[in-house]
Amino acid sequence: MAHELIPGLEGIPIAESKVSFVDGQKGRLEYRGISVEDLAENSTFEETAFLLMYGHLPSQGEFEEFNEEFQRVFRLKYQIVDLMKHLPETGHPMDALQAGVAAIGMFYQPRSNLTEAQRRLACTRILAKTPCLVAAFQRLRHGEEWPLPLKHLGLAANFLYMMTDKEPDPEAARVLDVCLILHADHTMNASTFAGRVVGSTLADPYCVVSSALGALSGPLHGGANEDAMRLFEAIGTPENARPYIEDMIKNKKKIPGFGHRVYKTIDPRAKILKKHAETLAKKSGNPIYQIAVEAEKVVTEHYAAKGIWPNVDFFSGIVYSELGIPRDCFTPIFAIARVAGWLGHLLEQLEGNRIFRPTQIYTGQHDQPYVSMNER
Ligand code: ACO
C-alpha cells in the first residue's frame, strides 16, 4: 500500500488503456495506434469517433449503419430546446451543455444495467446531440431561431450551419472537422479520469459525459483556449507582444495555452492548428495570428528549456474565431470532440470494471471532544 502523496497523481497509472497514446518527449499522439497527423489528413470526425469508441476503423457497412443511427438521433426534443431557451443568456455555454446532456439522459430508460445495444445507442445519441445543444443555446440566447441539422451535412458542417444559419464553405467545414479530430482524445487527462470514475459506479453515459464536461470547463484544462484568445486581445498588436509577455513572465503569471503535464516539447496538435490559424488569418487579414506568433516566440525563448511549449489551446481559438465562432463557444467545441474519447474510455472502463475507491492520507486530529455551542 502506497503512503506517499503524489500531487495531481503525476505519473500514477489509473487504468490500462488502448484508446490513445502520447509520447510527451517526441510530441506524438496516436488514437488506437494511428497518429493524429494521419487521421487529420485522411479521416473524418465521425470515423475517428467510431475508431475511439469501438477500437477499429469502421468497414463501409459499419460506417453506414453508424451514420444512419447518427442521423436518426441528431435532433433535440422540444423540451430540451425549451430548456436551452430558459437558461440564462449570460451563462456559459459549457454549463448549458452540461445541463443539456444530463437532461437528455432523463428521457431514456433504463438508467443503469444498460444492454450493449442500449449503451451503444446512448453513445451515438450523446455524440450527435452535443453539437446541437451548443448551437441551440448559442442561437436561442440571442433570441434567434435554431435551425434543425441538415441530413446531407456531416457533424462539423452541421455545427457551423446551426451556429450561423448558412451552409458553410466546405473548406471551413473541413478545418473544423480536423479540429474535432485533433481534440477527440488525449489519454488520462482530468476530464477523462472524471468520466472513468463516474463510469466505474455504473452511472449511465449521460452522467459520465456531464461529469467530464464539468472537469473540462476549468481554465487549467479546456478553458485555456478562451484565456489564450483574451491574452492576444489584451496584447493588441504584434509589437506589444514582447513587453507584455516579458511582464507576465517577470510577474510569474502563467501563459494560457502553454505547458503540459505530459508534453515536454511542442504539442503535435498545436503544430497542425498553427498552420490552419495562419492560413485563415492571412485570408481574412486578421493581425491576431501575428500577435500569437510573436507571443509564442517570447514564451519559448524563456521557457522551452524548461519543457514549456504551446499546447492544443494556444492556436485553436484563432481558428475558431476565424470560423465565426464566439469565444465562449471554444471550449464547447473541444467538448463536442472529446465526447468521442470519453465514451471510448467509458466502454473500456466497463470491460472488467471495478469501482474507483482511492485512499487518502489523513492529516486531521483524533479523539476530539464535542464542545457545546455556548462553550466555543
Ligand atoms: N506559463 C508559465 N509557466 C508555466 C506554465 C505556463 N503556461 N505552465 C507551467 N509553468 C511552470 C510552472 O509555473 C511551474 O514552474 P516552477 O516549477 O518554477 O514552479 C512548472 O512550469 C510546472 O508547472 P505546473 O503547473 O506544476 O505543471 P502541471 O503539470 O501541474 O500543469 C498545466 C500543467 C496545468 C497545463 C500548466 O502548464 C498550466 O497551467 N498551463 C496554462 C493553462 C493551459 O494552457 N492549460 C491547457 C492544458 S492542455 C489541456 O488541458 C487541453
Side-chain angles (χ1 to χ4, degrees):
M1 183 76 73
H3 289 294
E4 188 195 351
L5 179 70
I6 310 290
L9 295 182
E10 181 166 2
I12 308 291
I14 64 94
E16 287 186 351
S17 181
K18 293 189 174 78
V19 183
S20 60
F21 170 80
V22 175
D23 182 332
Q25 300 299 326
K26 293 190 183 141
R28 185 169 171 83
L29 169 61
E30 295 171 347
Y31 299 160
R32 304 279 183 185
I34 305 175
S35 77
V36 279
E37 288 88 349
D38 202 355
L39 290 163
E41 188 68 34
N42 299 303
S43 186
T44 60
F45 173 66
E46 286 88 330
E47 189 187 49
T48 298
F50 186 103
L51 170 73
L52 286 167
M53 294 194 298
Y54 304 117
H56 62 278
L57 286 169
S59 66
Q60 182 84 24
E62 284 175 319
F63 198 46
E64 278 167 16
E65 199 184 315
F66 181 62
N67 273 327
E68 271 167 32
E69 190 171 71
F70 211 87
Q71 292 295 343
R72 270 203 306 279
V73 299
F74 226 144
R75 295 170 61 153
L76 297 176
K77 288 185 184 294
Y78 77 90
Q79 296 99 320
I80 297 293
V81 178
D82 276 355
L83 171 68
M84 292 292 113
K85 231 179 244 175
H86 287 91
L87 292 173
E89 62 272 22
T90 48
H92 197 284
M94 276 300 278
D95 297 333
L97 182 55
Q98 190 180 21
V101 170
I104 288 171
M106 296 172 74
F107 287 93
Y108 304 101
Q109 300 292 335
R111 292 197 65 226
S112 55
N113 296 321
L114 274 68
T115 63
E116 202 185 316
Q118 286 166 334
R119 188 171 299 116
R120 213 177 156 109
L121 181 58
C123 290
T124 311
R125 216 181 259 135
I126 298 171
L127 202 61
K129 290 185 192 296
T130 310
C132 299
L133 283 170
V134 178
F137 179 68
Q138 163 63 12
R139 299 299 302 273
L140 297 167
R141 70 175 161 161
H142 290 110
E144 296 166 353
E145 288 298 311
W146 167 65
L148 293 176
L150 298 174
K151 283 215 174 242
H152 66 279
L153 296 181
L155 186 146
N158 244 323
F159 177 68
L160 290 175
Y161 165 68
M162 292 185 285
M163 291 287 279
T164 59
D165 221 357
K166 284 194 288 282
E167 272 204 45
D169 161 53
E171 256 177 65
R174 178 60 192 153
V175 171
L176 184 64
D177 202 32
V178 168
C179 293
L180 295 177
I181 292 171
L182 295 177
H183 285 83
D185 196 46
H186 206 251
T187 73
M188 207 50 65
N189 52 79
S191 56
T192 302
F193 182 36
R196 282 189 83 128
V197 170
V198 177
S200 81
T201 70
L202 302 185
D204 69 36
Y206 306 94
C207 291
V208 169
V209 170
S210 55
S211 310
L213 281 162
L216 184 69
S217 67
L220 293 186
H221 196 7
N225 51 19
E226 288 182 41
D227 289 342
M229 217 39 202
R230 276 190 203 98
L231 171 68
F232 306 146
E233 285 164 10
I235 293 174
T237 62
E239 298 70 41
N240 195 33
R242 181 167 292 278
Y244 196 100
I245 296 289
E246 284 180 345
D247 190 59
M248 283 181 82
I249 291 171
K250 201 172 96 203
N251 289 304
K252 299 201 175 314
K253 288 198 184 140
K254 274 196 172 173
I255 318 293
F258 262 78
H260 200 277
R261 177 67 61 80
V262 184
Y263 290 118
K264 298 304 161 206
T265 181
I266 188 162
D267 182 327
R269 302 166 298 176
K271 280 193 205 165
I272 301 175
L273 291 164
K274 183 177 178 181
K275 278 193 204 138
H276 287 296
E278 182 180 16
T279 310
L280 293 169
K282 273 194 179 150
K283 213 162 141 186
S284 71
N286 189 341
I288 206 136
Y289 173 75
Q290 218 37 54
I291 296 173
V293 168
E294 292 302 316
E296 180 195 17
K297 226 183 270 168
V298 185
V299 185
T300 40
E301 272 170 30
H302 282 83
Y303 284 143
K306 212 173 158 184
I308 299 169
W309 291 85
N311 61 48
V312 68
D313 288 325
F314 197 68
F315 291 104
S316 61
I318 300 180
V319 176
Y320 301 149
S321 66
E322 288 296 312
L323 295 176
I325 292 160
R327 192 169 57 204
D328 63 1
C329 290
F330 295 174
T331 314
I333 294 182
F334 189 151
I336 290 169
R338 190 54 63 84
V339 162
W342 291 331
L343 293 171
H345 281 273
L346 167 65
L347 299 178
E348 185 176 71
Q349 177 65 35
L350 295 175
E351 296 164 12
N353 178 56
R354 189 167 187 216
I355 188 169
F356 278 99
R357 204 320 179 178
T359 186
Q360 62 170 17
I361 296 171
Y362 178 67
T363 58
Q365 296 172 319
H366 293 285
D367 301 325
Q368 294 298 296
Y370 176 80
V371 181
S372 63
M373 185 79 79
N374 55 10
E375 287 172 33
R376 284 175 219 164

